[in-house]
Amino acid sequence: MNKIVIVEDELFMREELVYILEKEGYDSYCITDFNNVAEEILKESPDLVLLDVNLPGTTGFEICKAIRVISTTPILILTSRDQLKDELHALGLGADEYLTKPCNKDRLIARISNLLRRYEDRNHFVEIKGVKLDLQTYTMYVNEQSIVLTENQGKIMELLLLNPGEIVSKDIFFEKIWGTKEYIDENALQVNMTRLKKTIKSLNMKYEIITIRGKGYSLVAKEEKEDD
């Protein structure tokens, strides 16, 4: 049964969505505390997120952006905001669909079904040119070679591949690997990172992990490497 997280602050709309989804055979989970929404969503490991834009505190745009740093989970924006600029902004941040309220029930279910089908196979892999990572086994494929990474190194590589050329902060790695940003020994991350760097070097990848002092790590093409 596919699990859908609903991020909607209006009680009536939230209850209606739960009714519609569960009638169609989906398992639903509602966010009712709008602090640390992205973290709560990721803890639930949903198959899809139904996300409103106008929320108390953090906006749906910010939540969408935060989810995309760590996860490829399908995101369907469902909002009363019908401006084209809002739709383009949401899609630019990584949302997969954008529907305006009120929305026809059959249209909503069709979009959800299409998204789940589209991501059924794709969400098991993340890749950039020349590198592919199986997220179920953490097998990495490079230059017609393959190697099985440890779970921690696999999670590190997943984040780096999802954000090529971007700086991924230590806090994001801590959250992904250990589920918290507090009371983590940075040496544990460094040990895993050092071993992963050696693995990448042994595979003659066209990319390398560089350390950005005081900020985090980044996966860059070797010709794009800059002094850090």
Side-chain angles (χ1 to χ4, degrees):
M1 181 182 294
N2 291 119
K3 183 178 185 178
I4 298 176
V5 166
I6 300 169
V7 187
E8 168 63 63
D9 63 320
E10 295 182 8
L11 178 60
F12 176 77
M13 176 60 70
R14 194 162 63 229
E15 290 179 342
E16 183 177 9
L17 288 171
V18 169
Y19 174 77
I20 291 171
L21 293 175
E22 294 190 349
K23 189 175 181 181
E24 293 294 325
Y26 296 114
D27 183 19
S28 62
Y29 177 87
C30 295
I31 301 291
T32 55
D33 181 353
F34 297 95
N35 296 309
N36 302 316
V37 176
E39 291 180 12
E40 187 173 351
I41 290 171
L42 294 170
K43 285 179 182 177
E44 293 300 319
S45 299
D47 297 292
L48 184 140
V49 179
L50 268 182
L51 178 62
D52 192 8
V53 171
N54 297 321
L55 297 167
T58 307
T59 70
F61 293 133
E62 294 170 307
I63 294 167
C64 179
K65 183 178 180 180
I67 293 172
R68 273 295 167 264
V69 172
I70 298 178
S71 173
T72 59
T73 299
I75 299 173
L76 193 160
I77 300 288
L78 185 61
T79 178
S80 58
R81 296 172 66 157
D82 60 358
Q83 297 294 313
L84 177 60
K85 64 178 182 179
D86 291 325
E87 179 175 354
L88 294 177
H89 184 47
L91 295 174
L93 291 173
D96 299 278
E97 287 280 5
Y98 190 100
L99 290 176
T100 55
K101 297 184 285 190
C103 177
N104 177 275
K105 175 182 73 69
D106 293 333
R107 177 177 288 111
L108 174 63
I109 293 301
R111 296 292 177 86
I112 289 173
S113 178
N114 286 340
L115 273 181
L116 289 172
R117 185 165 56 248
R118 188 191 311 169
Y119 277 82
E120 186 174 354
D121 294 324
R122 189 188 306 176
N123 65 4
H124 296 319
F125 293 90
V126 60
E127 61 183 305
I128 58 177
K129 187 176 181 180
V131 183
K132 185 175 182 179
L133 180 68
D134 184 334
L135 301 181
Q136 292 184 309
T137 63
Y138 288 122
T139 302
M140 185 165 65
Y141 301 88
V142 182
N143 301 326
E144 299 183 353
Q145 305 174 75
S146 66
I147 187 169
V148 179
L149 302 176
T150 65
E151 182 177 358
N152 286 350
Q153 292 172 40
K155 289 179 178 179
I156 290 172
M157 199 66 206
E158 177 184 352
L159 287 176
L160 293 171
L161 288 172
L162 285 171
N163 303 277
E166 302 292 328
I167 298 173
V168 182
S169 72
K170 293 179 182 179
D171 281 351
I172 290 175
F173 284 116
F174 293 154
E175 188 72 39
K176 177 72 173 178
I177 299 171
W178 293 287
T180 180
K181 294 179 285 189
E182 301 177 355
Y183 312 117
I184 298 298
D185 183 355
E186 288 195 21
N187 288 331
L189 177 60
Q190 286 185 331
V191 168
N192 282 282
M193 195 67 70
T194 298
R195 291 173 178 169
L196 182 57
K197 286 181 178 181
K198 289 180 179 179
T199 297
I200 287 175
K201 187 175 181 180
S202 71
L203 293 172
N204 295 317
M205 278 177 56
K206 295 179 180 180
Y207 305 90
E208 58 186 325
I209 301 171
I210 62 172
T211 303
I212 313 298
R213 293 193 184 96
K215 295 182 179 180
Y217 299 90
S218 180
L219 182 71
V220 300
K222 288 182 178 179
E223 61 269 23
E224 295 177 1
K225 181 182 176 183
E226 296 179 356
D227 293 334
D228 54 75

